[in-house]
Structure formats: C-alpha cells, structure tokens
C-alpha cells in the first residue's frame, strides 16, 4: 500500500486535516493525502486527495520526502498556492471526499480542513512529526533539493 500527501504552503501557513476523537486520541493533524489507487502515480494521487479533502485543485511541484507507512511507502509532494499558476481552482474547506462528508461511525471522529501557521508545527501533534519538522526547516532552509527519507511508520 502506498500513500501520497501534499505539503501546501500559503502565506506562512500549511494546509492540514484536523482530526478529532479518533483512535489516536482527542486531537491531531495530518497532511492532506491518502491511498494511491491501482495504476495511479503517487503525484496524481496527491492531487486527487487534496481535491477530495480540501476542495482545492492543485498541481504538485516535486517530491520532497519518502518514507515507510504501515508497511508501505508514503510520498510527500510540495504544492504551492502562493498566487501562482499552481492553484487551479476550488475553495478551501469544500472537500467532498468520503472521509469529509461520508457517514462515519461516531468513534471514527471528525475531519476538518485547517490552515496552521508553520511556526506552530513543532508544538502541536502533527503526523508524521518528521515531515512537520521538514516543513518547519524549509521556512529557513528551503525545500530539500532531493527527496529525503523519513521514518514515519510509528
């Protein structure tokens, strides 16, 4: 199983999915993304998942991290929406994917699209934390030139 996610930065903030009341505890955050479908390239999966979860159409720039995820691989792509041609349309928070609007059991918790200041990443439960740290470092150092390996199988 592979999972692809997007790191969407806008004006010092990053787009995340806020999860409440799930098996991980009361509150945590994830980067928008999900399972790569059969025969689907990971970058296309990231674009599809962002539209499903956030309501935005984006174009991914490049792969910045790759790591283990529940016995599979997880890919992280940058997708900037800073008033450039990278934003293709949509409205933030209007995601229509099943996890956003579907009939979930009460113990599955809730999902909500949020913008989080990048400076808040180190002090909040953002998973995987290794990718949150990569995003926080990118503010000062820029994105890595090559995709980095992250250990996020925890």
């Amino acid at each position: 199983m592979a999972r692809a996610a997007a790191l969407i930065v806008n004006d010092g903030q990053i787009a995340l999915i806020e999860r409440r009341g799930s098996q991980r505890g009361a509150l945590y955050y994830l980067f928008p993304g999900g399972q790569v479908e059969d025969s689907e390239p990971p970058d296309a999966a990231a674009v599809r998942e962002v539209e499903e979860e956030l309501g935005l159409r984006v174009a991914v720039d490049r792969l910045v991290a790759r790591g283990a995820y529940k016995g599979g691989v997880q890919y992280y792509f940058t997708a900037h929406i800073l008033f450039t041609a990278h934003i293709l349309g949509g409205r933030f928070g209007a995601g229509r994917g099943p996890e956003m609007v579907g009939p979930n059991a009460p113990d599955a918790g809730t999902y909500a699209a949020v913008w989080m200041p990048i400076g808040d990443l180190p002090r909040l439960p953002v998973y995987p934390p290794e990718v949150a740290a990569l995003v926080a470092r990118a503010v000062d150092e820029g994105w890595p030139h090559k995709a980095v390996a992250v250990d996020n199988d925890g």
Side-chain angles (χ1 to χ4, degrees):
M1 174 178 97
R3 186 175 190 282
L7 307 175
I8 305 168
V9 175
N10 184 30
D11 194 26
Q13 298 182 79
I14 187 151
L16 295 172
I17 300 298
E18 179 185 87
R19 293 280 287 125
R20 289 187 180 273
S22 69
Q23 63 271 26
R24 278 198 189 248
L27 170 69
Y28 69 97
Y29 301 88
L30 297 169
F31 298 98
Q35 185 170 340
V36 177
E37 302 295 336
D38 292 338
S39 303
E40 182 181 37
D43 58 338
V47 168
R48 176 181 52 76
E49 288 286 344
V50 165
E51 186 162 12
E52 288 177 7
E53 294 181 354
L54 302 181
L56 294 177
R57 291 188 322 260
V58 298
V60 297
D61 292 327
R62 60 193 173 100
L63 179 66
V64 294
R66 180 180 171 149
Y69 175 75
K70 294 185 180 179
V73 177
Q74 180 141 333
Y75 303 89
Y76 294 89
F77 296 89
T78 59
H80 296 278
I81 60 167
L82 300 168
F83 303 107
T84 70
H86 296 287
I87 189 166
L88 303 176
R91 184 174 54 85
F92 187 81
R96 303 298 300 166
E99 67 275 17
M100 304 307 284
V101 298
N104 291 322
D107 61 344
T110 62
Y111 293 75
V114 297
W115 287 108
M116 178 182 290
I118 292 174
D120 290 352
L121 289 176
R123 65 177 183 79
L124 293 172
V126 180
Y127 294 98
E130 297 82 2
V131 176
L134 175 88
V135 172
R137 282 192 311 271
V139 170
D140 296 323
E141 302 170 12
W143 296 110
H145 296 290
K146 290 175 36 177
V148 298
V150 293
D151 177 16
N152 58 5
D153 210 9

